[in-house]
Amino acid sequence: MLSMFGFKRIRLFEVFGIPIYLDWSTIFIALMFLQSGSILLSLGLVVLLLMSIVLHELGHSLTARLFGCNTRDITLSVIGGCASLERMPYKAYQELLTAAAGPIVSFVLGIVLIVVSYFLPGNSLLTIALFIAGQINFTLGLFNLLPGFPMDGGRIFRSLARFFMPRAKATYVAMVVGRVVAVLLVLLPVLGITNIWVIPIGGSFFLRLLIAVMIWTEGYREYKAALQEENFRKWTQADFEARVSPPPYDM
């Protein structure tokens, strides 16, 4: 089975009935951490990061399951994780809770890992790995809150917008805001901003470009889907009213 990047996916394991896949593009994550010096520390960070992403995506998946939305699978890739839901929760508050669940898990993991690291020997590789992984989880949680639809922050933005406008219009607004975020991600070096704590990918233009392209293309795809869904609902409602309404009385 191929991923969105054309790489072969391999199945790792299953959690709560949800298959977990690894995209071969994650090799780029390993290469990034190998630059940190110690091979053991780098491998430990990669493992902790991938486990953290799985838990982040399980936060989305299990919350969605509460609202009757199952998850086909979870895929780990170079730009993070992706939980493939069979459908998104339709009600605004359900989408809000589902989108917020992932960052909440990341923040909780960040706290747990940092606290645990304080009770371990200060100079051990495990202590360093846990502390850094805790910081990374905080950073990932904050990064995912950026309103780059369809990222978590973008979905939270859309769910809040839906309290004031129809779903399709809220999706359009979220898409436009997301595209602004995508452009800013690519233009950070041009603007002289190359190191922001909330952006874990720092000065890596390649990863920022991948995420920007994902936001640009997937946001538009979801807007088209929301528009088609709205038109379908209008059509079926009109058809239903036409079928149940009595014919006009002809004198």
Side-chain angles (χ1 to χ4, degrees):
M1 185 178 296
L2 296 180
S3 71
M4 63 179 291
F5 299 107
F7 290 97
K8 182 74 174 179
R9 296 194 308 172
I10 58 174
R11 181 164 174 158
L12 298 178
F13 48 84
E14 188 173 298
V15 183
F16 298 111
I18 303 172
I20 310 296
Y21 288 91
L22 181 69
D23 189 306
W24 281 104
S25 66
T26 51
I27 191 173
F28 294 111
I29 295 179
L31 291 175
M32 279 193 305
F33 280 103
L34 284 176
Q35 299 175 2
S36 63
S38 170
I39 295 179
L40 286 177
L41 177 59
S42 300
L43 292 177
L45 285 173
V46 170
V47 172
L48 286 171
L49 177 59
L50 294 179
M51 290 175 60
S52 298
I53 294 174
V54 169
L55 292 174
H56 177 107
E57 296 303 327
L58 283 174
H60 293 308
S61 301
L62 297 181
T63 304
R65 182 179 291 182
L66 294 176
F67 305 123
C69 305
N70 294 321
T71 302
R72 299 186 188 92
D73 56 58
I74 292 174
T75 301
L76 309 178
S77 70
V78 66
I79 60 172
C82 177
S84 300
L85 301 181
E86 292 181 354
R87 65 177 180 86
M88 283 296 296
Y90 190 78
K91 294 183 179 179
Y93 82 90
Q94 295 175 344
E95 182 181 18
L96 174 62
L97 293 176
T98 301
I104 290 174
V105 169
S106 294
F107 291 135
V108 172
L109 277 175
I111 295 173
V112 171
L113 290 172
I114 290 176
V115 169
V116 170
S117 70
Y118 276 109
F119 291 94
L120 297 176
N123 296 325
S124 70
L125 289 179
L126 178 59
T127 302
I128 298 172
L130 289 177
F131 184 78
I132 295 176
Q135 290 182 318
I136 291 175
N137 270 281
F138 271 112
T139 306
L140 288 175
L142 288 172
F143 178 70
N144 275 279
L145 288 178
L146 292 177
F149 186 76
M151 290 171 54
D152 298 341
R155 292 193 181 281
I156 291 173
F157 178 85
R158 180 178 72 169
S159 65
L160 294 174
R162 286 178 58 193
F163 287 104
F164 306 98
M165 60 188 73
R167 189 169 188 267
K169 186 175 181 179
T171 305
Y172 176 78
V173 174
M175 179 194 72
V176 172
V177 173
R179 288 189 166 186
V180 172
V181 173
V183 171
L184 289 176
L185 282 176
V186 176
L187 293 181
L188 284 179
V190 178
L191 299 175
I193 305 173
T194 57
N195 188 17
I196 301 179
W197 187 66
V198 74
I199 300 180
I201 48 182
S204 174
F205 177 78
F206 174 69
L207 288 180
R208 281 189 283 106
L209 181 61
L210 280 181
I211 294 175
V213 170
M214 182 276 293
I215 292 173
W216 193 279
T217 58
E218 291 300 305
Y220 178 73
R221 184 184 65 80
E222 293 221 14
Y223 167 63
K224 294 292 289 185
L227 198 59
Q228 291 174 358
E229 182 182 73
E230 183 179 86
N231 291 334
F232 178 76
R233 288 170 64 88
K234 289 180 179 179
W235 180 83
T236 52
Q237 179 66 24
D239 181 67
F240 174 77
E241 292 174 353
R243 289 174 182 272
V244 299
S245 298
Y249 181 72
D250 188 8
M251 296 292 292

